[in-house]
């Protein structure tokens, strides 16, 4: 074992150290070594890089890194969303990148229920996109303390969307977005995008790979037989990123693949794969074309609940995400221009989180579900019906004097749920730019003395328009059917309209 010192190829006065014990951690194309203080890793490409590849690496650790630092929410992106390389080195003819070490939460604390063979291993996203690893009857099921609950995967998806959104805003494409290049921690609801040294810059840096199986866009597979120089050949780009993003979100929320159904296109497995994921790809939950429906009798015994879309259909995520999944896997599957962009996914995920209800069954593995807009809602995972009344809160905005219009945004109250500034005002957008002050709750809903109430914590000017009275700070208002509550009389302020369901 030896400590090796290497020099930056960006700044000749900068040096880095790493420990070489002869057994580096091996990735797909890189060998990874840790620095003695475990603050960063040095990841060397196994094969020598050509001039263009080196130039790409230099741009990533200088120009594009600086663009993030100068942009909005830079600390958030560099600490919470990306593990962005910040320098490049050379040793014995090989090029390496300096990357911040992963946060400890992205390593398994225990791993499997039955043994600890993956303890300390990276929480690569693929561990959390299959039902197998969370079924107690499966020999390699993960310890339940590693899994989080269904709500965890909404925030994980939001983080990934923000990362893709940022790359695309910078004119970049990831080119190989998959569950192998995302680390997740469902317990803290965190996700970080890794391995971003292959970024695509249209017209400058072409893609190095066509992607990872399961996430390669149909148009890339359909044209892969053509020469790179052929103008009809489709290579990874921002539109193919959007296909991979939709697949990732679907797999995190439903733990199955949107295109892997029961249809066999060719007895030759390689040709069948090309058809199923490429030219003939069909959404397994296509509402009118049943060609690729999942055959339940083919499912493994531990996959049955999640593998069968009839039991857990994609529509359980509510209207906002259902619409985007249709656009991604029906309209845009073979027409890339129609695919939802990352910002649309982020917005739909955030609005869907406002529809989430806690399951009243303490033994439910998923703990949460999306309100299904019925008079008698129930958890789609365990079948437990909601008991008691349920406040449905529609947000309205002032269109003009005395004219209020629906925002197209609904909030489902539950016991001790918070109200935030982004609910109060149209001028506060729930995204990565929120200040610490903006993230503080301004009120909360609670079930008190057999009544639903909203407690005002910090809002000046909150009014009960139905009973025509003020709701001062530190007081409460009962949520009754048809109640109208003005949250703010300032420009952009919203009004709540209450409907009590399940009465």
């Amino acid at each position: 074992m030896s400590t090796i010192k290497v020099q930056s190829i960006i700044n000749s006065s900068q040096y880095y150290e790493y420990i070489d014990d002869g057994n580096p951690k091996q990735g797909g194309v890189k060998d990874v070594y840790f620095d003695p203080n475990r603050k960063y890793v040095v990841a060397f490409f196994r094969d020598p890089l050509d001039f263009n590849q080196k130039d790409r690496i230099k741009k990533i650790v200088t120009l594009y890194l600086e663009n993030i630092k100068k942009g909005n929410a830079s600390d958030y992106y560099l600490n919470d969303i990306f593990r962005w390389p910040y320098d490049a080195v050379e040793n014995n003819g090989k090029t390496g990148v300096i990357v911040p070490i992963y946060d400890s939460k992205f390593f398994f604390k225990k791993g499997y229920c039955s043994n600890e063979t993956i303890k300390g291993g990276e929480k690569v996203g693929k561990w959390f996109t299959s039902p197998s690893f969370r079924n107690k009857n499966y020999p390699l099921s993960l310890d339940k303390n590693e899994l989080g609950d269904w709500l965890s995967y909404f925030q994980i998806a939001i983080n990934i969307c923000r990362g893709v959104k940022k790359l695309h805003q910078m004119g970049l494409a990831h080119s190989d977005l998959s569950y192998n290049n995302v680390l997740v921690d469902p317990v803290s609801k965190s996700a970080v995008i890794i391995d971003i040294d292959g970024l695509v810059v249209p017209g400058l840096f072409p893609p190095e790979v066509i992607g990872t199986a399961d996430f390669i866009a149909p148009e890339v597979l359909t044209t892969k037989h053509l020469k790179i120089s052929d103008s009809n050949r489709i290579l990874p780009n921002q539109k193919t990123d959007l296909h991979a993003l939709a697949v990732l979100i679907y797999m995190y929320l439903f733990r199955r693949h949107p295109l892997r159904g029961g249809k066999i296109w060719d007895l030759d497995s390689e040709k069948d794969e090309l058809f199923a994921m490429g030219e003939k790809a069909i959404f397994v939950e296509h509402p009118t074309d049943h060609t690729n429906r999942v055959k339940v009798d083919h499912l493994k015994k531990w996959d049955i609940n999640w593998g069968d879309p009839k039991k857990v259909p994609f529509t359980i995520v509510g209207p906002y995400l259902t619409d985007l999944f249709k656009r991604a896997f029906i309209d845009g599957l073979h027409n890339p221009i129609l695919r939802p962009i990352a910002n649309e996914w982020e917005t739909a995920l955030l609005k869907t989180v406002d529809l989430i209800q806690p399951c009243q069954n303490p033994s439910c593995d998923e703990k949460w579900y999306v309100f299904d807009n019925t008079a008698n809602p129930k958890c789609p995972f365990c079948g437990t019906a909601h008991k008691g009344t349920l406040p449905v809160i529609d947000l309205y905005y002032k269109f003009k004097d005395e004219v209020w219009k629906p925002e197209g945004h609904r909030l489902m109250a539950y016991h001790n749920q918070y109200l935030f500034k982004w609910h109060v005002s149209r001028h506060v957008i729930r995204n990565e730019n929120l200040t610490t002050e903006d993230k503080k709750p301004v009120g909360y809903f609670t079930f008190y003395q057999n009544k639903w109430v909203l407690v005002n914590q910090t809002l000046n000017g909150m009014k009960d328009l139905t009973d025509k009275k003020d709701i001062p700070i530190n007081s409460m208002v009962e949520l009754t059917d048809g109640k109208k509550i003005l949250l703010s009389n300032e420009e952009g302020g919203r009004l709540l309209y209450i409907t009590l369901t399940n009465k």
Side-chain angles (χ1 to χ4, degrees):
M1 182 182 293
S2 58
T3 301
I4 297 176
K5 194 172 186 178
V6 286
Q7 185 181 31
S8 165
I9 60 175
I10 307 297
N11 177 2
S12 59
S13 65
Q14 179 67 53
Y15 289 86
Y16 298 92
E17 292 184 337
Y18 65 91
I19 297 172
D20 185 2
D21 62 358
N23 186 30
K25 183 175 172 15
Q26 292 196 314
V29 296
K30 297 190 290 286
D31 294 328
V32 179
Y33 302 86
F34 292 88
D35 98 286
N37 298 314
R38 296 184 77 85
K39 298 287 186 186
Y40 57 82
V41 298
V42 186
F44 283 102
F45 291 89
R46 268 183 228 111
D47 297 327
L49 304 186
D50 62 26
F51 175 81
N52 201 47
Q53 290 170 321
K54 283 185 184 178
D55 196 32
R56 180 206 310 264
I57 295 299
K58 288 177 180 178
K59 287 280 199 311
I60 288 171
V61 302
T62 56
L63 175 65
Y64 304 132
L65 176 58
E66 283 304 310
N67 285 347
I68 292 182
K69 286 181 177 179
K70 292 175 186 172
N72 61 311
S74 58
D75 288 345
Y76 170 76
Y77 280 114
L78 292 175
N79 294 328
D80 296 349
I81 301 298
F82 298 120
R83 277 296 171 267
W84 199 282
Y86 59 88
D87 209 342
V89 297
E90 278 188 350
N91 191 30
N92 295 328
K94 292 186 176 181
T95 306
V97 288
I98 308 298
V99 188
I101 202 160
Y102 305 144
D103 191 288
S104 61
K105 64 189 174 187
F106 294 115
F107 296 93
F108 282 109
K109 301 292 187 295
K110 182 171 182 181
Y112 299 132
C113 292
S114 54
N115 60 64
E116 297 190 353
T117 53
I118 59 167
K119 182 179 179 180
E122 295 168 7
K123 293 183 182 178
V124 179
K126 64 183 177 183
W127 288 108
F128 305 97
T129 55
S130 164
S132 306
F133 296 118
R134 61 183 61 234
N135 188 296
K136 303 176 189 70
N137 298 320
Y138 183 53
L140 297 181
S141 61
L142 292 172
D143 187 89
K144 67 178 182 179
N145 293 320
E146 308 272 20
L147 295 173
D149 53 43
W150 203 45
L151 186 55
S152 303
Y153 297 92
F154 283 85
Q155 186 58 53
I156 283 168
I158 288 164
N159 284 5
I160 298 169
C161 289
R162 287 176 176 167
V164 173
K165 176 180 71 173
K166 186 65 175 179
L167 292 178
H168 289 188
Q169 285 173 345
M170 294 167 65
L172 307 172
H174 187 283
S175 82
D176 190 18
L177 188 65
S178 78
Y179 50 32
N180 290 330
N181 291 329
V182 178
L183 298 182
V184 306
D185 176 37
V187 179
S188 64
K189 302 177 174 59
S190 307
V192 63
I193 298 173
I194 62 173
D195 288 345
I196 49 178
D197 39 52
L199 293 173
V200 171
V201 185
L204 186 61
F205 297 123
E208 295 281 310
V209 295
I210 66 167
T212 300
D214 277 349
F215 299 92
I216 304 172
E219 65 271 19
V220 173
L221 284 178
T222 302
T223 62
K224 72 175 274 198
H225 64 285
L226 301 174
K227 291 182 179 179
I228 292 284
S229 57
D230 193 318
S231 61
N232 292 314
R233 173 81 185 265
I234 306 296
L235 295 171
N237 55 66
Q238 290 188 351
K239 293 290 187 291
T240 66
D241 276 357
L242 296 178
H243 172 76
L245 176 62
V247 173
L248 264 179
I249 295 169
Y250 184 92
M251 292 189 76
Y252 280 121
L253 295 183
F254 302 109
R255 297 166 206 150
R256 57 177 181 256
H257 194 281
L259 305 180
R260 293 199 179 279
K263 176 63 177 176
I264 296 174
W265 295 102
D266 199 293
L267 293 178
D268 180 319
S269 59
E270 194 171 321
K271 288 181 181 176
D272 184 62
E273 177 75 2
L274 276 176
F275 282 138
M277 297 287 122
E279 180 185 345
K280 297 183 184 294
I282 300 175
F283 184 30
V284 297
E285 297 187 74
H286 196 294
T288 56
D289 187 340
H290 296 183
T291 305
N292 198 28
R293 281 285 190 264
V294 173
K295 291 182 171 59
V296 179
D297 55 332
H298 290 176
L299 297 171
K300 297 175 183 177
K301 60 186 178 183
W302 49 78
D303 287 350
I304 197 71
N305 289 331
W306 285 85
D308 183 5
K310 288 182 180 177
K311 292 193 174 183
V312 187
F314 79 106
T315 51
I316 66 164
V317 291
Y320 313 123
L321 288 171
T322 293
D323 177 59
L324 293 195
F325 282 130
K326 286 178 179 176
R327 285 172 53 195
F329 300 133
I330 300 173
D331 306 335
L333 188 58
H334 297 286
N335 192 354
I337 197 73
L338 298 179
R339 290 171 189 159
I341 62 172
N343 189 56
E344 291 180 279
W345 284 110
E346 179 189 348
T347 300
L349 285 159
L350 289 168
K351 288 172 74 173
T352 301
V353 167
D354 278 344
L355 297 180
I356 288 272
Q357 276 287 300
C359 179
Q360 293 179 335
N361 173 10
S363 301
C364 180
D365 288 333
E366 303 307 325
K367 307 297 183 196
W368 301 87
Y369 64 94
V370 176
F371 174 65
D372 61 6
N373 206 28
T374 66
N376 304 107
K378 67 177 182 178
C379 174
F381 306 112
C382 68
T384 302
H386 179 87
K387 292 178 182 175
T389 56
L390 195 57
V392 179
I393 303 165
D394 288 298
L395 276 58
Y396 282 71
Y397 70 97
K398 192 176 239 181
F399 179 65
K400 55 185 179 182
D401 287 347
E402 305 307 317
V403 178
W404 293 83
K405 286 197 170 184
E407 188 84 53
H409 188 166
R410 173 173 282 179
L411 181 62
M412 297 300 304
Y414 54 83
H415 185 55
N416 290 342
Q417 180 198 22
Y418 287 123
L419 183 75
F420 291 96
K421 285 186 179 180
W422 56 80
H423 297 126
V424 174
S425 173
R426 300 188 93 197
H427 298 317
V428 180
I429 310 300
R430 188 181 180 186
N431 60 22
E432 66 276 15
N433 297 317
L434 286 172
T435 65
T436 302
E437 192 63 30
D438 288 338
K439 294 176 185 177
K440 292 179 180 177
V442 295
Y444 63 92
F445 301 95
T446 191
F447 196 63
Y448 177 71
Q449 294 183 347
N450 290 319
K451 295 176 182 177
W452 285 102
V453 297
L454 169 59
V455 178
N456 180 8
Q457 290 178 287
T458 67
L459 294 176
N460 288 307
M462 187 168 162
K463 290 183 179 178
D464 178 343
L465 297 186
T466 304
D467 291 344
K468 296 181 173 55
K469 61 182 183 182
D470 293 337
I471 307 166
I473 292 173
N474 295 325
S475 69
M476 67 178 72
V477 57
E478 184 181 354
L479 305 183
T480 54
D481 203 37
K483 176 80 76 178
K484 296 174 185 173
I485 301 169
L486 180 66
L487 296 178
S488 169
N489 54 16
E490 293 179 4
E491 202 270 323
R494 290 198 179 98
L495 178 149
L496 304 182
Y497 182 82
I498 314 299
T499 305
L500 276 188
T501 188
N502 209 46
K503 289 183 284 189

